[in-house]
Amino acid sequence: MLLWENIVLAINSLLSNKMRALLTMLGIIIGIGSVIAIITVGDSLTLSVSENMQSMGANDVYVMVQRKSEEEEESNIDGVKFGSFNSSEGMTEDDYLTEDMIKEMCNKFKDDIYAVNLQYSAGQSQIEFGKNTANVNVSGVTAGYFITNEISLVSGRMFSGEEFSEGKNAIIVSDKLVNKLFDGDNRKALGSILEVNVNNQVSAYSIIGIYEYQQKYAMGMALGSGDNVTTDLYMPLKAALSLTHSKNAYPYAQIITKVGVNSDELAERIKNFYAPYYRNNRVAEVNAITMSSMVTMLTDMLSTITLAISIVAGIALVVGGIGVMNIMLVSITERTREIGTRKALGAKNSSIRTQFIVEAMIICLIGGIFGVILGVGGGIIASHLLGYPAKPSVSGIFISLLFSMSIGVFFGYYPANKAAKMNPIDALRYE
Amino acid sequence: MSTIIKLENIVKRFYEGQENELEILHGISLEVEEGEFVAIVGPSGSGKSTLMNMIGVLDRPTSGTYILDGINVGDADDSELSEIRNQKIGFVFQTYNLISKTNAQKNIELPMLYSGTDRNTRVKRAKELLELVEMGDRAKHLPEELSGGQKQRVAIARAMANDPAIILADEPTGALDSKTGRLVMDLFHKLNKEKHKTIVLITHSNELASETDRIISIKDGNIVDIKEGKKVKNENTNISNENTGNNENNENNVNNNIIETLNNDNLENETTKQNEEIIKEINVKIDDSTTDESENDEKNEESSNNQNNENGE
Ligand SMILES: Nc1ncnc2c1ncn2[C@@H]1O[C@H](COP(=O)(O)OP(=O)(O)O)[C@@H](O)[C@H]1O
Ligand SMILES: [Mg+2]
């Protein structure tokens, strides 16, 4: 019998029992939905991270001072400690990298290092101006920072050499901040004085430049989205350090490598280079990682999560499949007379089998479609909450739908075969 | 005219080899000519439907041979039987058995779907058949939107879909009031006369049975009487309601009509399987051209017995 007729038949049969069909599909919907959701979130995360790698430089090496771990922590994957940026607890500026230490490193690896950017996050702050407020991360940077991070000014000027070397109270702010505090009026913003409160210490800074805000990610985590986003407020490194430090020491350095350098290997060598400096230090040590190792770590984590959710989804799908099988058995029993009639009209066993397999397939396919809708919707919402642009995977959707149909075939085969093998007389006599 | 249905010594047992083995047909032999309209009558449980299922190749006999339109059905496999049902036979059931949630036209298209007829031909043929059964305006109606008589007419149209040689109708008017039953019966006459269909009709109505060419009476799995129908149509209305329902009488009636006498194989089966009463009964094969008026009187008594039995159920 023609496939199309079977499909129409199956849909009619489902429509005549909508609630039952929906309940039957639930397992499939949940299974497919969760798979699609995790694929959507995972894909957008991976995509964002790899896009971000371009801007942050996949080959850059990040050197940071972090808490010494007594023993290997569980989060230690591939020698990278996730979340270690914030574990500065118990450390003092005496533990940070001094200018001398950085210079020594530059000399030792001068064939590999192209430039070193130093950056210091002084902390978060809420800036008030008139009736408006804006949230910022106060960041002290060196000249190379703007180049390597591809930050471009839309108005005003860059810090001068003098401002850098003397740590003048000049700041460069985002266009988002100008939107919030100055209604987007760049001319009004430039030269304005902002009072910035960092660590309960209020200082006044004048805006000399405005940069174009780009969605930025640190360690693959978005910093926010929309107009209420927390943006970076840049000031000369020295100015930032003076907020909290008495001497010039750096917890963090970004190393731009020369072309063709194996940055993972360099990171390892830098780590080893600094190891003797910190041998007797009880709280701190130096870690050096690359963007690509961070991405590897992230994708590893993600695939672990994906695997876990896939197992749950797989169980849901199997349970859903059994549900489909069950309802098909019920349906076949209810329609025993119909099967007998069809056989009397000349249906071959194979026609009956096909009819019910198609019906099981359609149940699963429709369940799969609902699951995809739910999964894509959930994935988009989750991606937005995490601050990523959502990227539903077309191939993932396609494969999921094919997979749900094969569940239909697999779990529909037994009931369909049972129907096909019914004795026409017994079927017709069935009450 | 050639023989289209030829049953020889058909025996049907259920639960064969088990403790509760049941022999329902005890060696039926019957021939139906092409274009003939035959009625099968008999009390409920006598094996009419079982016989009908054999004729319609829905079931296989335990023993005996069945030649359908020159084909020895015993040699056919399940798939071939499906094809035979699809091409040569149109079933009409007491309970209509229309496929629910499927409109009248689609129901009629079903046998053509199974035979692989293309869509345009299917639709065209289904519409023609709807016109034939005077249901042209109900093509898109679902079975639940039709009355019993209308459903049965759709079912008859469906039985005609692949232009089968034989229409098998198992109590097609059983669930209908006499007026709609009349309409359905007229339709069978029309198919028989105009479309030259061979029709085998099981009915409990002596009136309807008497309108056919030949009436075959079945009792307890044996053909106990065969007589010509149309000739007795009027006399049937005058028969006394005398209750002569004992087996001696039946036996006499049957004996009076014997042309070809009993089947010895059959008797042997019966002695082992059946009770004393049945042993006395005889399986007959009658050439209906030899029946005459005097015999008919006696047969009428038998018919009325059957009617009484059926009414009691
Ligand atoms: N498939 C079957 N399995 C077991 N018993 C059956 C089956 N079909 C019919 N019978 C039995 O055979 C007997 C005759 O049934 P049937 O042919 O339907 O009678 P009728 O149509 O004359 O009323 C009944 O006793 C019935 O219970
Ligand atoms: Mg019956």
Side-chain angles (χ1 to χ4, degrees), chain A residues 425-426 429, chain B residues 14-15 22 24 43-50 171:
Chain A
I425 291 302
D426 293 341
R429 283 169 53 93
Chain B
F14 291 108
Y15 315 112
L22 260 179
I24 301 301
S44 220
S46 57
K48 304 183 297 293
S49 296
T50 305
E171 298 184 39

Side-chain angles (χ1 to χ4, degrees), chain A residues 208-258:
Chain A
I208 61 153
I210 298 161
Y211 71 90
E212 188 188 359
Y213 174 81
Q214 287 167 328
Q215 182 105 330
K216 276 209 47 179
Y217 310 91
M219 288 289 287
M221 295 295 153
L223 299 171
S225 60
D227 247 9
N228 278 325
V229 70
T230 301
T231 61
D232 285 333
L233 180 151
Y234 299 113
M235 59 178 68
L237 181 61
K238 276 195 178 162
L241 287 170
S242 71
L243 287 171
T244 50
H245 289 68
S246 50
K247 66 182 219 177
N248 289 347
Y250 310 96
Y252 168 83
Q254 179 187 14
I255 293 166
I256 293 97
T257 55
K258 286 185 176 166

Side-chain angles (χ1 to χ4, degrees), chain A residues 1-2 5 12 16 337-338 341-348 351 355 423-425 428, chain B residues 53 58-59 79 82-83 85-86 91 93 95 97 99 101 106 110-111 113-114 122 158:
Chain A
M1 199 157 85
L2 300 166
E5 300 293 335
N12 279 343
S16 68
R337 255 169 174 282
E338 177 190 322
T341 306
R342 285 175 183 278
K343 290 196 161 187
L345 298 179
K348 296 202 167 119
S351 315
Q355 181 191 335
N423 175 323
I425 291 302
L428 275 171
Chain B
N53 294 337
L58 273 169
D59 208 352
S79 166
S82 295
E83 237 161 81
R85 288 196 292 270
N86 187 242
F91 284 98
F93 305 93
T95 49
N97 288 13
I99 308 295
K101 328 279 184 210
K106 290 269 174 205
L110 262 183
L113 265 177
Y114 290 124
R122 252 165 31 217
R158 184 178 67 180

